[in-house]
Amino acid sequence: MTVRTRFAPSPTGYLHVGGARTALFSWAYARHFGGTFVLRIEDTDLERSTPEAVQAILDGMAWLGLNHDEGPYYQMQRMDRYREVVAKMLSEGTAYYCYSSKDEVEAMRERQMATGDKPRYDGTWRPESGKTLPAIPEGVAPVVRFKNPVDGEVTWLDVVKGEITIGNKELDDLVIARPDGTPTYNFCVAVDDWDMQITHVIRGDDHVNNTPRQINILNALGAPLPHYGHLPMILGADGQKLSKRRDSVSVMDYPAKGYLPEALLNYLVRLGWGRGDEEVFSMEQFCVWFDLDHLSKSAAQFNTEKLGWLNNHYIKLADNARLEGLIKPLMDKDGAQFDGAPPFRTVIGLMKERAHTLNELADSAMLFYRQPNPDGALLAQHLTDVVRPALVEYVQRIQTVEWNKESLTAMLKQVLAAHKLKMPQMAMPLRLLVTGQLQTPSIDAVLELFGREVVLGRIKKFL
């Protein structure tokens, strides 16, 4: 069997991080077996589906690097195929025309709820042996309903949740085509999975109730059944369902906030699958290791701090040229002045060790590409009468010293010893005078990067 998986989002907004995890697992399973990963856009909800939402899905998939092998297929381009299957089912008696109006169906449901029964279509127009159907009303366009089995059960071995059984009495006769002939969601999904020869359906557990309906439709069509696996949802830090009011739920929020795609992918893997104590791995390694046996049965909780830790790990591993291309536009917007400043990639190499996001990296790197404006109160606090003579001597000593970290540090230690000062007493005012801020990497590395002329010029302004 050739493994064929699919990701089938509805284009009604953005690519949700939960959807991205589903896509990731489906993609990785296909890659593990050398199979095929299909992208299908389920766009039959004409009121909510938009071209912008389709593009948001494609952009999110592209940013994550989850490249599809087939597609994207669009359900709205497959209308002729759905009508063909509906006609086949009508002719074979596995579907039927229903002329009950919306008001009549609603009245049925209200009566059933009033008696404590589960609301469902009562089968008024369902053809049965020996049953006389009502007269067809004039001027009423019918829906088409699937003739769901009335007895027995639907059982499948879910690759995540284990065996699941739902009685057919819990399912009513699903509408598979609306009065205008437009097919409905569960019907389209079943036909698509059949036509596209999908072998494994990995999706969120909000689809568990759809699965028995789709299985019954596929059985009626004489189609093979895929293996189903339903992933528990991702919860927010507060333990509640992810909410766009509280959480970053759109995949494209993450590049805007300075995350690398490999960090988000690695994190999403650990929100539903595990391999011992392994925390960090490339997507190539993940595809080698990935199986369905170790998918979690429990809901996962999104932890932004853990994602930040992973992002810092991947920033440190990233090529400086790549980081330059990602953060330079951010710094341009902030008015960075690159002419005559330290080499950008060298600065990135120094600053990336502490950065948890690209935005943090851009902000911290700006200290090399803007004029310092030390706060007066901080200067008064750190540039004291005790420290000032030591700074004057340090300036004199470094005018002719070889300009590297080792020499700068050696001179600094000599001056500290001569004036009986401790390192912070000198390092803090040096940082303020040269960069305008108190928090920087090691002062010797900072001074080396700025260069002799800039360092001496900025310190002398205040001495």
Side-chain angles (χ1 to χ4, degrees):
M1 178 183 65
T2 300
V3 168
R4 290 177 61 85
T5 64
R6 48 79 157 178
F7 178 52
S10 298
T12 56
Y14 41 76
L15 178 58
H16 192 283
V17 291
R21 184 187 63 169
T22 297
L24 170 59
F25 289 167
S26 299
W27 172 85
Y29 197 65
R31 293 289 172 268
H32 180 83
F33 287 100
T36 301
F37 176 57
V38 177
L39 177 60
R40 185 170 79 219
I41 306 297
E42 297 185 340
D43 56 350
T44 56
D45 187 342
L46 299 180
E47 292 184 1
R48 299 176 63 205
S49 298
T50 66
E52 292 78 14
V54 171
Q55 192 59 50
I57 291 169
L58 297 178
D59 290 345
M61 295 286 283
W63 181 72
L64 290 169
L66 299 179
N67 51 308
H68 49 276
D69 303 304
E70 290 185 14
Y73 297 113
Y74 295 87
Q75 287 185 329
M76 286 305 296
Q77 296 176 5
R78 289 174 45 79
M79 289 295 114
D80 289 345
R81 172 58 176 159
Y82 301 138
R83 293 188 183 100
E84 174 189 322
V85 177
V86 169
K88 178 178 183 289
M89 295 177 72
L90 286 168
S91 68
E92 293 177 350
T94 57
Y96 60 93
Y97 288 114
C98 169
Y99 293 87
S100 298
S101 67
K102 286 185 178 180
D103 289 342
E104 289 171 332
V105 172
E106 186 59 33
M108 287 177 203
R109 297 181 185 279
E110 289 178 359
R111 289 194 299 270
Q112 291 161 346
M113 286 189 289
T115 58
D117 296 325
K118 182 175 180 177
R120 50 182 288 157
Y121 178 66
D122 67 2
T124 298
W125 289 93
R126 179 182 172 116
E128 302 286 2
S129 177
K131 176 181 179 179
T132 301
L133 298 177
I136 296 176
E138 292 184 8
V140 176
V143 299
V144 178
R145 289 186 181 271
F146 171 59
K147 197 174 183 182
N148 194 77
V150 293
D151 298 314
E153 298 171 331
V154 182
T155 298
W156 74 95
L157 183 60
D158 195 282
V159 299
V160 179
K161 295 178 175 294
E163 186 175 284
I164 298 177
T165 297
I166 296 179
N168 279 314
K169 292 187 181 299
E170 297 294 312
L171 311 171
D172 59 3
D173 288 356
L174 180 73
V175 173
I176 61 174
R178 302 178 181 90
D180 63 359
T182 306
T184 58
Y185 172 76
N186 279 296
F187 172 74
C188 292
V189 170
V191 174
D192 288 344
D193 286 343
W194 178 29
D195 285 354
M196 297 172 192
Q197 301 177 322
I198 302 302
T199 61
H200 295 77
V201 173
I202 302 170
R203 56 189 176 186
D205 62 5
D206 52 330
H207 287 281
V208 166
N209 290 335
N210 293 326
T211 300
R213 299 182 182 279
Q214 294 167 17
I215 288 175
N216 280 341
I217 292 172
L218 288 168
N219 284 335
L221 294 170
L225 299 179
H227 299 279
Y228 292 95
H230 294 87
L231 304 169
M233 69 174 61
I234 300 174
L235 304 177
D238 57 0
Q240 302 298 312
K241 184 178 178 181
L242 284 176
S243 165
K244 63 182 179 181
R245 293 191 303 274
R246 302 186 307 270
D247 310 293
S248 294
V249 295
S250 168
V251 165
M252 295 312 287
D253 285 345
Y254 289 87
K257 291 186 174 183
Y259 291 92
L260 294 173
E262 55 266 42
L264 183 58
L265 286 169
N266 193 155
Y267 185 65
L268 290 177
V269 167
R270 298 296 287 121
L271 284 181
W273 180 86
R275 180 185 167 89
D277 295 328
E278 301 284 349
E279 291 285 349
V280 179
F281 33 75
S282 67
M283 286 302 100
E284 291 78 13
Q285 182 63 73
F286 172 53
C287 290
V288 171
W289 285 342
F290 183 59
D291 57 22
L292 302 178
D293 297 333
H294 292 87
L295 288 170
S296 174
K297 296 178 173 59
S298 304
Q301 198 162 355
F302 203 98
N303 185 320
T304 305
E305 289 184 6
K306 186 63 174 291
L307 174 59
W309 176 83
L310 275 171
N311 204 49
N312 170 252
H313 170 81
Y314 284 108
I315 286 173
K316 288 189 288 188
L317 289 181
D319 180 76
N320 291 346
R322 177 191 175 199
L323 295 176
E324 177 183 14
L326 293 171
I327 71 169
K328 191 171 185 299
L330 303 177
M331 297 174 67
D332 284 334
K333 289 182 180 179
D334 284 344
Q337 301 170 12
F338 294 100
D339 291 342
F344 194 25
R345 293 181 192 178
T346 306
V347 169
I348 290 172
L350 174 65
M351 307 301 290
K352 70 181 185 180
E353 294 296 316
R354 301 183 181 186
H356 288 84
T357 68
L358 296 177
N359 296 358
E360 284 184 16
L361 179 56
D363 287 344
S364 62
M366 279 294 291
L367 72 88
F368 289 95
Y369 302 101
R370 65 183 169 212
Q371 289 298 314
N373 184 25
D375 179 80
L378 290 176
L379 278 176
Q381 177 183 347
H382 294 283
L383 187 56
T384 64
D385 291 340
V386 173
V387 173
R388 190 181 294 272
L391 281 174
V392 171
E393 182 176 342
Y394 186 63
V395 167
Q396 292 172 345
R397 284 174 176 261
I398 63 175
Q399 290 190 50
T400 57
V401 76
E402 186 176 353
W403 199 264
N404 56 47
K405 289 193 298 183
E406 294 75 20
S407 299
L408 292 167
T409 300
M411 289 298 101
L412 186 55
K413 287 180 178 178
Q414 291 177 21
V415 172
L416 289 172
H419 291 264
K420 298 181 180 181
L421 298 173
K422 295 182 179 180
M423 180 65 77
Q425 290 177 278
M426 283 279 285
M428 287 302 190
L430 276 174
R431 287 188 172 97
L432 270 177
L433 299 177
V434 176
T435 73
Q437 59 191 58
L438 291 175
Q439 298 296 323
T440 74
S442 173
I443 186 61
D444 54 1
V446 171
L447 297 179
E448 180 185 44
L449 273 178
F450 269 113
R452 192 191 316 268
E453 183 179 345
V454 171
V455 169
L456 294 177
R458 290 183 179 182
I459 296 176
K460 288 178 179 179
K461 285 182 181 178
F462 296 91
L463 295 182

